[in-house]
Structure formats: C-alpha cells, structure tokens
Amino acid sequence: MKVKTLILGAGAAGLMAAAHAGPDTLLVDHAKSPGEKIRISGGGRCNFTNMYCGFENYLGGNPHFHKSALTRYTQWDFVELVGKHGIEWHEKTLGQLFCDGKATQIVAMLVAELEAAGAQMWLKTSIKEVRHDGNRFQVTLERDGKDISVTCTNLIVATGGKSIPKMGATGLAYDIARQFGHAVTETRPALVPFTFDKGRFAEISGVSAPVRLTCHDTTFDEAMLFTHRGLSGPAVLQISSYWRDGDAISVNLLPELDLSAVLKDKRKSEGRKALKTEMAKHLPARLIDHLSETVTFTGNLGDLSDTRIADLVQTLENWVLKPTGTEGYRTAEVTLGGVDTDGLNSKTMMSKTVPGLYFIGEAVDVTGWLGGFNFQWAWSSAVAAGQAATAEPV
C-alpha cells in the first residue's frame, strides 16, 4: 500500500495533523478509539486551550522553538474551529476553556475534519517496523492479524510521551527518533502529584487551600490539595515541572493576606479573641490542627508580641517541604522532555536530516503549563507538520 503521508498516533496531535495533511493520508493507532487522552481530560470536558496562551507558558531545551507554530496557529484559531462545529464552551479559571458538554465532542470534531480532508484512519493497528530505503519510508503495520506494508513519502510521529501508560503510552516516538539519528532529551513525569513518606498528610487528606508555591525561583498561585499520598492540586501539578529529586518546595499558605498587619490590628481591637479562632478565618480548621504539631496557636491575640507574630508569619508564608518523589507516569498529565528540538525545523516540525520525517505534540521537547497549553501545542505543531506535508512533492 502506498500513501503520501502516514501519521502514527490518533491522539490530539495526530488527529489534527490528519485534518491538514491532505487526502492521501493514513492515520493509524493501536487503540480501539481515537483521542483517548482528549476524552478523559478536564474531568471529561476537555480543557482544549487557554485564552492567555503565550510563549512563556512552555518549557523545553530551546525556549524559542515553539514560537513559530504557536504564532501561526493560535488558540483563537482553535476556538474558531470549535465554534464552527457548534460546540459550546466556557472559561473556567485563568483562561482555561472547557466544553460545556463532553470532551468527546472535540474528538468527534477532529474526526469530522479528518474525514472532510479525505484522510483515512485505521484503529486497532500496531506498528511493527519503521524503515527508510533512501527514498521513502517503509512501515510494517499489523491489522486484523495480518502484516501490511505501507510506503510513504512523509511520516508524522504523533505517538506522544510516556504519561498514563495504562492508556497505551510508550516511548515509541523516542525509539523512532533515535533510529533516525535524533537526540532525545531526558524525560520525566510532569504535571504530576508529589508523594511523601509515611502518610505525611493522610490525616488531612481532602483539605484544599489557595497557596503560593515556589521552586527554583518559579512561583504559582493556585490551589493545593492534601492527599493520602502527598500533595496535589493545580499549584502542585504546575510546580512539579520545575522540581527535581531532592528539591524542597516553599509553600505560602496565605498569599493574599498581610497576616502581620491583620494580627497587629486585631491585637488592639480584639485582644481577648483566641489566636486559633482568628486563624480559622484564614486557614482550614483541619490544616490548623495539623500545623499545631509544630506551630503554636495557643493564647489570645492581645498576648502576641511582635516577635511571635513575625515568627508565625515566617512559618506560614515559607513552609518548606521536601517531597520524596512524584506519582510518576501513572498519573502524570504529560511527559517533560522528548525529541530534541535542535534536530527539527521549528516552522514545519520536520527533521533537519531526514526529509519527510516529522515529530509533533507531546513527543517533542516542548511541555506546556497546566490549563490547556499542552493541547494548544498539539494543535499548533500538528497544523505546522500537516501543512508542510501537504506541500511536499510526492
């Protein structure tokens, strides 16, 4: 069988690429259904992009690589596509855009675009071997128990990273990259909860609070959730991309409050009130009880000295914690690192050394923040590759 473009992986990037790569395109995936990570994302409503998507919202070895694709296909281009298909959406927080209905609407939209473009999609299809004969790619697929040889001019690798292996995630993209002489940067789980030894926060599991979380001079102001295993919530997932084994994190439990000024004022006006009663206005009661193991909340406001207030503020605004690890790829939303962008053309996503070979989406060393940024990278990088493949001669 011969096609102009073969796309490996029917996730977000692969589906989008198929909709832009022209009619002589075949998209394959081992799964029973396309877009499985889309389906489970955003609590089943898919946080498909972010209104405030900017270049600064991405990590990677080359801080400029992602700019070209994101500039040429923006969040507003995808919002327009969503509107074209009559999908209702809303902003949740911090520019995060979600479907009013189900995430499967986004999958259906992408499949419809793929079909309208004249591309084919084969599911329940495994990739057995990828070769290049010096002119074209020769890919052996297994479908319905039979081996099928596909020859193609363009090969777009959209098989993602290692995150959520129960959904079939593997390091296939990295294997293909290395096979063709491309470097792969260090990979590790990102947007992932932290773990702590000995059920450190088990007694306050389920407690959540808005915090300012800092690691390596990077800070996020969002919610933090205590769990049986450790810490989760948006702030934790965000900072996990900047954390390394052995690092400590700093938690400001009162990021929007001048606690020192409040306590000094209440010391004068409500001196008989218990400190713990006042603190319960600003922090969850269960968290105060947990902190009481190391922080003294006894006594009345009128008894507080300036020194004690300063010590209390320092403790609550710089609570230093040292995670033992993360929950790993099992729950990580994305994989940090990937195919080294030094070997790719930023405008087309094509290999600089192997004509017709493209890497897109999560497989590449471009990782976005939590909040729709990784989906936007999938859409933008896919359009860049798909359009480039369409323009390539057969």
Side-chain angles (χ1 to χ4, degrees):
M1 179 179 178
K2 181 179 177 181
V3 296
K4 182 178 181 182
T5 302
L6 176 64
I7 303 173
L8 308 182
L15 287 166
M16 192 67 164
H20 289 267
D24 194 12
T25 296
L26 174 63
L27 171 65
V28 301
D29 197 294
H30 62 82
K32 297 178 181 178
S33 304
E36 281 296 275
K37 286 185 75 171
I38 298 175
R39 181 182 62 79
I40 68 169
S41 68
R45 292 185 184 272
C46 187
N47 177 195
F48 55 80
T49 193
N50 194 292
M51 291 172 60
Y52 307 121
C53 189
F55 304 143
E56 71 279 3
N57 303 117
Y58 293 87
L59 296 79
N62 181 341
H64 305 290
F65 179 84
H66 54 279
K67 293 180 178 179
S68 177
L70 290 170
T71 298
R72 289 161 55 221
Y73 189 87
T74 72
Q75 64 269 42
W76 302 116
D77 292 317
F78 194 78
V79 168
E80 181 179 354
L81 178 62
V82 169
K84 169 187 162 186
H85 284 261
I87 300 172
E88 299 291 333
W89 55 271
H90 62 278
E91 179 190 0
K92 192 172 181 181
T93 57
L94 303 174
Q96 300 172 26
L97 303 188
F98 289 77
C99 298
D100 285 357
K102 295 182 178 180
T104 48
Q105 291 178 288
I106 299 295
V107 179
M109 174 192 78
L110 294 170
V111 171
E113 288 289 308
L114 173 159
E115 292 174 344
Q120 297 182 69
M121 178 167 59
W122 288 0
L123 299 173
K124 300 187 217 177
T125 303
S126 301
I127 302 153
K128 293 188 68 175
E129 186 180 20
V130 177
R131 304 188 314 279
H132 194 275
D133 64 7
N135 185 35
R136 296 177 188 274
F137 294 94
Q138 307 285 340
V139 181
T140 302
L141 305 173
E142 183 179 345
R143 190 175 191 230
D144 296 328
K146 299 177 181 178
D147 285 356
I148 301 173
S149 180
V150 178
T151 302
C152 58
T153 304
N154 303 306
L155 181 67
I156 300 179
V157 182
T159 53
K162 299 178 181 179
S163 56
I164 317 183
K166 70 178 181 180
M167 298 187 69
T170 68
L172 177 62
Y174 314 141
D175 294 337
I176 294 174
R178 293 188 184 100
Q179 177 185 342
F180 289 99
H182 280 266
V184 176
T185 67
E186 177 193 3
T187 58
R188 65 182 195 271
L191 302 184
V192 62
F194 288 132
T195 56
F196 287 77
D197 280 341
K198 302 175 183 177
R200 171 79 181 272
F201 303 113
E203 65 179 20
I204 54 171
S205 177
V207 172
S208 178
V211 302
R212 178 169 295 145
L213 209 52
T214 303
C215 184
H216 294 304
D217 299 321
T218 298
T219 298
F220 290 98
D221 283 27
E222 289 194 65
M224 182 172 77
L225 174 69
F226 296 92
T227 73
H228 280 91
R229 290 182 293 274
L231 296 173
S232 189
V236 170
L237 299 187
Q238 295 281 36
I239 210 70
S240 70
S241 295
Y242 297 83
W243 179 87
R244 291 275 195 165
D245 285 344
D247 286 342
I249 58 173
S250 172
V251 184
N252 182 341
L253 291 168
L254 299 164
E256 301 298 327
L257 182 72
D258 185 344
L259 181 61
S260 179
V262 168
L263 292 180
K264 288 177 181 179
D265 179 63
K266 293 296 180 71
R267 182 174 60 185
K268 296 177 182 178
S269 61
E270 302 178 36
R272 294 184 178 181
K273 180 187 287 186
L275 171 60
K276 192 170 184 179
T277 301
E278 176 61 29
M279 292 308 304
K281 293 181 180 180
H282 311 296
L283 292 172
R286 289 172 61 198
L287 177 55
I288 292 174
D289 289 340
H290 177 80
L291 291 170
S292 294
E293 297 174 7
T294 54
V295 181
T296 302
F297 291 106
T298 57
N300 296 330
L301 295 174
D303 301 325
L304 294 176
S305 66
D306 285 353
T307 298
R308 188 177 171 199
I309 289 175
D311 289 344
L312 181 61
V313 169
Q314 170 63 19
T315 299
L316 297 180
E317 292 186 355
N318 185 29
W319 186 21
V320 178
L321 298 171
K322 194 170 183 179
T324 54
T326 74
E327 292 192 4
Y329 290 116
R330 182 180 65 83
T331 59
E333 296 203 12
V334 293
T335 302
L336 191 70
V339 179
D340 195 328
T341 54
D342 284 351
L344 303 177
N345 183 308
S346 64
K347 292 183 179 179
T348 64
M349 306 303 296
M350 187 170 75
S351 166
K352 293 179 179 178
T353 55
V354 184
L357 178 63
Y358 301 78
F359 294 91
I360 60 175
E362 189 183 348
V364 179
D365 180 23
V366 175
T367 305
W369 288 5
L370 182 73
F373 299 102
N374 286 292
F375 273 132
Q376 186 57 48
W377 170 245
W379 316 138
S380 298
S381 61
V383 170
Q387 291 179 343
T390 301
E392 284 291 313
V394 176

